[in-house]
Amino acid sequence: MGVKIGVLALQGNVSEHIDAFEHALERMGQVSPCSVFPVKKAPEISGCGALAIPGGESTTISRLIEKNHLYDPIRNFSGGIFATCAGMVLMATRVDDPRIRPLGLIDITVDRNAFGRQKESFETDLQIHGLDEGPFHAIFIRAPVATGTGTGVHVLARIKQGIVAVEQGKHMALAFHPELGSDTRLHERFLKKLGM
Amino acid sequence: MVPAESVIALPVFVLAAALLIDRCIGDPHSHLHPVALLGRFIAWWGKPERYTRGLQRTAGVFFWFVTVAFFAIPAFLFWKFAPWYLYLIIAPFLLKCCFAWRSLEEHALAVVEALNRGTEAGRERVKMLVSRDTTALSNDHILSAAYESLTENLTDSIVSPVFYYSLFGLAGAAVYRAANTLDAMLGYRDERERLGWWSARMDDVFNFIPARITVLFLFVFFAFRGRLTSSYRMMKRDKKRRPGYNGGIVMAVMAGGAGVRFEKPGVYTIGDGERSLEVGGREILSAVRAVTVTKRPVARDHSRVNLEELRFGTELLKRGFASMQKGGVIMDVVNAGQAKISEEAGAVAVMALERVPSDIRKMAGDARMADPQIIAEIIDTVSIPVMGKVRIGHFVEAQVLETLGVDMIDESEVLTPADEQYHIDKKKFTVPFVCGARDLGEALRRIHEGAAMVRTKGEAGTGNVVEAVRHMRAIMGSIRVLKGMDRQEMTDYAREIEAPAELVIECSERGRLPVVNFSAGGIATPSDAAMMMQLGADGVFVGSGIFKSSNPQKMAKAIVEAVNHYEDAKVIAAVSRGLGDAMPGLDVHTLREDEVLQYRGR
């Protein structure tokens, strides 16, 4: 029985996430067939083993989650969630913006646009805990940071401004965009933890 | 002279120390590095034009011996006559100069990393490794060159030097290093062919046994991976495909074991390519690490990969920003109040301008960038990205918007053009740009100038979607046509549409534009927006359509939902109910030519 990986397709860079997961599966030399596809509806989500919440505009995605009645289905999702950028904002327990109703799945406090505007967006090499094969080239676009973490949150990477990569249980949240580069080590790590 | 009792212990110690030094410092760049001196000497005599044709071969033999002697005799004398304690200290450094262990994979990884930043960066980086012309290499060919070089260096940089050191000591390693460098600089089939003939032959001789030792090591590694038969079969089949006696056999074993294909365009192809080099490359790295007993890349050189180095305004960041807007609606706003309404309705971004296009049509005189005061207010009011329009070619308006902190600049035909010949050189800016286009040629010219997003021009301020449809169909249709063309036809087509050939080829390979493609110009209803999405738009800009309708809040929300569910007619029907009046539409055919905005800036 193949495992399904759903990419939440409300808004944002959905196709890049699909491509990145497909690459990751190929690199892992997947034995059981997994498929990656966009999801928009509650029944589609509950049928998945893993879910990705892509980058995009967190206020827009949050609003569309409410509008499409996806808040509870995602909150009660039993698989692992892989969240980047806007996704990290949504996964938090506390966000600095009242217009966003965070899912509270990872016990972190998040600051949106922590680095400023687009001209302050940057690329850099990050040392990520548990990735042995050298630094990870990370792309930060109007990125958030986590300013605080609760117990049970495993910090994977931090920079001067704050925490930029965390894991809690099956979930992983990143302030940057691994799906925009061709390095899939984080995707692979996430899938391996789910036993794929 | 070395004390007799340590004949065995001393060489082993020197080797271990040399390996340790390599691990710690890698290959420092210095003009005084012995191999750099060697290189300069070869470069001095190795110019074919110095000799007559008939003399080149003899000169090549003669200077080969001079060079090898020049490099190896000091090593020999040092080993013979230096007091043992001095030898103990200095020999490891000399031996270190004869091999490269740590830098082996660093070079290949640097190419992979550069490729992550773009094809051009990859080409630039791989040029340092290989002698081939890199200007026309595709991503796959760049990776191939990098991994081929890694595979070749496994023999040249480590197995051979250690082999000759164990047989003949320091002088043996030095002779090998000199011979190998001679081949690397002269052993080519171009004007250097005669002068380098002896160097190439001698390199074949020197590497004959070491290459086969490397092959044995690789077989052991691939046997553990269950890939022994594939690597053996590929060795049998492809070992002769590459010129020379030694390179081909190692490469064929590597290609077979890792399941990849090495390709030097027009020269050779080795292996079947069951998987891409992106994927198989890791297996090559593992093989190299196993053979050289590197546990893992202990030293992914952190002194060179500066962890604190931040890069701003790269192509990847600009296109990445554009990509985050996908599936979204970007709304034209003229003040902070409208921006707030847009944000609450679920816009992904707002576009700040002085007047919406339909008012620009009514107004006399030039339309220009919005008042910085208003832009600053909008930036302070909303947390979503704020974009701003500048006149075509007006790079100072663009500098102003960048300073204000605008997230993306629209070089827009809706405003009065400032330059009838040139668009803004968008690559000079840190902030990304979006530009309008009516067809593929125009879109690719803008991308070539540095646009990170393209949008259809449509006919702004008319509330009539017909032109946006025409432009979207033209772009998508041309890309579909491209898919059936071969390279020559594409180059020809590129000339015809006045677009750079490499971008035309990229479109055909990807089946889409290399950047995000939005729709704009005349979208007035939820159905208009959904239609543009179904025609292939990645998202939409709505200009006058929202704030010229009778109920902007409702219209804004309806369009956001229609874009979100663009394939679901039920949702579109539901959100379109009771919206009140949409903006009044204009028949584009009644416009005078000077009123048609889309003709501005081609």
Side-chain angles (χ1 to χ4, degrees):
Chain A
M1 190 36 207
V3 183
K4 290 178 180 170
I5 303 169
V7 178
L8 190 65
L10 297 175
Q11 190 268 320
N13 65 341
V14 177
S15 63
E16 286 86 346
H17 270 274
I18 295 177
D19 292 348
F21 269 112
E22 280 173 350
H23 270 136
L25 290 169
E26 192 191 334
R27 274 176 202 183
M28 289 163 75
Q30 210 36 52
V31 205
S32 64
C34 292
S35 53
V36 193
F37 58 98
V39 293
K40 274 187 178 178
K41 298 195 172 104
E44 293 171 338
I45 292 173
S46 55
C48 291
L51 181 68
I53 305 182
E57 208 33 62
S58 51
T59 45
T60 308
I61 299 178
S62 179
R63 198 171 306 275
L64 289 170
I65 285 176
E66 301 288 340
K67 193 89 202 167
N68 293 310
H69 312 292
L70 294 177
Y71 187 85
D72 289 321
I74 299 175
R75 228 185 115 81
N76 300 328
F77 181 63
S78 59
I81 299 181
F82 184 85
T84 68
C85 197
M88 179 177 183
V89 174
L90 295 168
M91 291 294 280
T93 38
R94 291 163 299 277
V95 178
D96 62 339
D97 189 325
R99 283 165 297 195
I100 290 169
R101 186 177 163 213
L103 294 157
L105 290 168
I106 295 184
D107 191 3
I108 47 175
T109 307
V110 167
D111 255 3
R112 294 176 64 224
N113 301 342
F115 301 90
R117 309 202 65 84
Q118 171 59 16
K119 64 178 175 183
E120 271 90 41
S121 291
F122 62 95
E123 298 179 33
T124 193
D125 291 304
L126 268 190
Q127 204 60 262
I128 294 183
H129 189 79
L131 287 190
D132 296 332
E133 302 174 359
F136 192 94
H137 190 72
I139 298 145
F140 290 83
I141 296 176
R142 286 174 50 98
V145 295
T147 51
T149 59
T151 48
V153 176
H154 180 37
V155 174
L156 297 176
R158 71 168 79 225
I159 56 178
K160 252 192 317 216
Q161 288 82 349
I163 294 158
V164 293
V166 294
E167 268 178 342
Q168 182 169 7
K170 296 175 184 174
H171 308 316
M172 184 187 280
L174 311 166
F176 49 92
H177 293 278
E179 75 282 3
L180 292 179
S182 55
D183 192 339
T184 55
R185 284 177 293 162
L186 285 168
H187 290 82
E188 292 171 39
R189 179 190 166 101
F190 167 75
L191 293 175
K192 272 181 201 146
K193 271 196 106 176
L194 293 178
M196 294 188 194
Chain B
M1 196 44 226
V2 178
E5 60 275 22
S6 41
V7 209
I8 304 286
L10 196 64
V12 174
F13 170 81
V14 169
L15 179 62
L19 291 171
L20 189 70
I21 294 167
D22 180 280
R23 272 291 109 172
C24 298
I25 61 170
D27 275 323
H29 293 276
S30 159
H31 293 296
L32 297 174
H33 193 290
V35 179
L37 292 174
L38 176 70
R40 259 185 283 167
F41 181 61
I42 301 170
W44 171 73
W45 68 260
K47 294 189 179 72
E49 65 274 13
R50 280 175 176 265
Y51 316 92
T52 60
R53 222 182 127 82
L55 211 62
Q56 286 181 353
R57 202 165 280 207
T58 325
V61 178
F62 174 74
F63 277 111
W64 186 90
F65 281 102
V66 172
T67 308
V68 169
F70 161 84
F71 197 66
I73 288 178
F76 176 77
L77 292 177
F78 183 74
W79 168 73
K80 195 87 186 150
F81 298 111
W84 69 272
Y85 48 88
L86 205 59
Y87 182 79
L88 203 65
I89 297 167
I90 300 191
F93 287 94
L94 293 178
L95 179 58
K96 159 53 221 91
C97 296
C98 299
F99 66 85
W101 180 24
R102 167 169 136 177
S103 62
L104 198 63
E105 63 181 56
E106 278 176 9
H107 291 304
L109 287 173
V111 174
V112 174
E113 204 162 89
L115 263 185
N116 280 344
R117 297 200 296 273
T119 308
E120 209 34 64
R123 282 184 192 139
E124 224 22 68
R125 196 64 188 69
V126 83
K127 212 189 280 177
M128 299 163 68
L129 295 186
V130 293
S131 53
R132 67 192 69 167
D133 176 16
T134 59
T135 46
L137 295 184
S138 70
N139 281 9
D140 277 346
H141 292 147
I142 293 168
L143 274 183
S144 182
Y147 285 119
E148 280 173 51
S149 154
L150 174 63
T151 307
E152 188 166 25
N153 286 338
L154 182 55
T155 309
D156 289 6
S157 300
I158 184 102
V159 177
S160 281
V162 172
F163 175 75
Y164 285 103
Y165 173 74
S166 15
L167 287 185
F168 305 108
L170 196 54
V175 168
Y176 174 77
R177 175 52 44 231
N180 187 245
T181 310
L182 279 157
D183 175 59
M185 293 184 64
L186 301 173
Y188 299 95
R189 289 181 188 275
D190 49 18
E191 72 283 356
R192 292 168 287 191
E193 182 166 9
R194 277 174 302 279
L195 191 62
W197 164 79
W198 178 255
S199 296
R201 295 295 75 76
M202 288 316 286
D203 191 67
D204 285 344
V205 173
F206 275 106
N207 276 329
F208 191 84
I209 299 175
R212 275 126 193 107
I213 295 177
T214 310
V215 164
L216 287 181
F217 280 136
L218 286 176
F219 278 156
V220 174
F221 171 79
F222 286 125
F224 277 107
R225 293 295 170 115
R227 301 276 305 175
L228 183 60
T229 15
S230 343
S231 60
Y232 181 76
R233 210 176 292 146
M234 200 54 73
M235 179 186 79
K236 283 275 156 216
R237 198 190 82 184
D238 284 358
K239 69 176 173 190
K240 296 228 169 78
R241 293 216 181 156
R242 193 171 182 273
Y245 295 95
N246 308 317
I249 180 168
V250 184
M251 254 175 229
V253 170
M254 190 66 100
V260 299
R261 179 165 61 213
F262 292 128
E263 186 179 1
K264 182 171 177 180
V267 185
Y268 56 78
T269 324
I270 295 174
D272 283 334
E274 314 158 34
R275 40 188 159 173
S276 68
L277 271 163
E278 258 180 24
V279 181
R282 291 212 197 157
E283 189 68 3
I284 296 178
L285 273 179
S286 307
V288 168
R289 282 173 196 162
V291 172
T292 58
V293 234
T294 315
K295 267 301 268 180
R296 57 169 119 120
V298 195
R300 255 320 297 294
D301 195 343
H302 292 297
S303 56
R304 262 178 257 176
V305 181
N306 181 359
L307 285 178
E308 285 303 302
E309 191 200 341
L310 309 182
R311 278 191 299 272
F312 299 93
T314 62
E315 209 59 14
L316 189 56
L317 288 167
K318 292 176 178 178
R319 292 184 181 188
F321 170 81
S323 184
M324 296 310 147
Q325 313 299 313
K326 286 198 294 184
V329 182
I330 300 167
M331 302 180 188
D332 276 5
V333 299
V334 298
N335 56 44
Q338 293 187 350
K340 190 130 193 75
I341 292 171
S342 303
E343 184 178 42
E344 268 155 21
V348 284
V350 290
M351 173 73 70
L353 69 176
E354 202 161 34
R355 293 174 185 79
V356 291
S358 68
D359 287 339
I360 290 174
R361 284 193 179 281
K362 292 175 200 154
M363 174 193 77
D366 279 7
R368 312 186 181 98
M369 170 185 83
D371 181 345
Q373 175 66 34
I374 291 173
I375 293 176
E377 281 170 22
I378 293 172
I379 286 177
D380 288 340
T381 307
V382 296
S383 69
I384 55 177
V386 176
M387 305 184 179
K389 280 190 195 294
V390 300
R391 288 179 262 176
I392 290 175
H394 206 314
F395 50 86
V396 174
E397 283 187 350
Q399 290 162 4
V400 170
L401 289 191
E402 183 172 66
T403 309
L404 287 173
V406 157
D407 297 291
M408 184 175 237
I409 296 174
D410 186 358
E411 187 181 18
S412 177
E413 71 284 358
V414 171
L415 307 184
T416 316
D419 188 328
E420 297 199 322
Q421 178 109 40
Y422 296 106
H423 279 71
I424 297 171
D425 180 0
K426 294 170 268 288
K427 289 191 171 147
K428 282 191 182 154
F429 287 78
T430 306
V431 66
F433 278 76
V434 52
C435 285
R438 289 172 304 149
D439 52 39
L440 185 61
E442 210 171 314
L444 296 182
R445 286 195 292 281
R446 297 296 89 81
I447 294 169
H448 185 67
E449 291 158 4
M453 183 196 266
V454 163
R455 55 169 175 77
T456 58
K457 280 183 170 172
E459 191 54 39
T462 58
N464 187 338
V465 80
V466 65
E467 294 302 304
V469 169
R470 190 194 315 281
H471 301 160
M472 187 54 75
R473 282 196 186 276
I475 292 173
M476 304 309 279
S478 301
I479 294 173
R480 278 189 289 271
V481 170
L482 271 184
K483 280 192 186 166
M485 291 189 188
D486 66 16
R487 284 245 164 174
Q488 273 182 311
E489 288 166 337
M490 279 191 248
T491 318
D492 204 48
Y493 184 69
R495 229 172 292 139
E496 193 184 307
I497 63 170
E498 298 174 60
E502 70 269 14
L503 287 178
V504 169
I505 293 167
E506 195 177 342
C507 284
S508 143
E509 279 170 359
R510 293 199 194 194
R512 58 159 297 141
L513 285 178
V515 303
V516 168
N517 180 21
F518 268 49
S519 187
I523 295 163
T525 67
S527 306
D528 286 353
M531 173 166 67
M532 295 319 298
M533 293 299 285
Q534 286 197 26
L535 286 174
D538 291 315
V540 298
F541 285 87
V542 185
S544 327
I546 289 168
F547 291 100
K548 287 288 159 187
S549 70
S550 62
N551 189 342
Q553 263 110 335
K554 221 172 163 189
M555 181 61 88
K557 280 187 185 156
I559 292 181
V560 169
E561 273 204 63
V563 167
N564 185 221
H565 295 281
Y566 67 91
E567 285 174 317
D568 192 338
K570 268 191 208 143
V571 175
I572 300 166
V575 301
S576 302
R577 282 184 183 192
L579 281 181
D581 292 334
M583 73 174 285
L586 263 182
D587 183 354
V588 288
H589 298 107
T590 62
L591 297 176
R592 289 195 317 271
E593 184 159 356
D594 62 329
E595 290 176 331
V596 179
L597 303 178
Q598 57 174 294
Y599 297 158
R600 295 167 165 181
R602 303 177 192 191

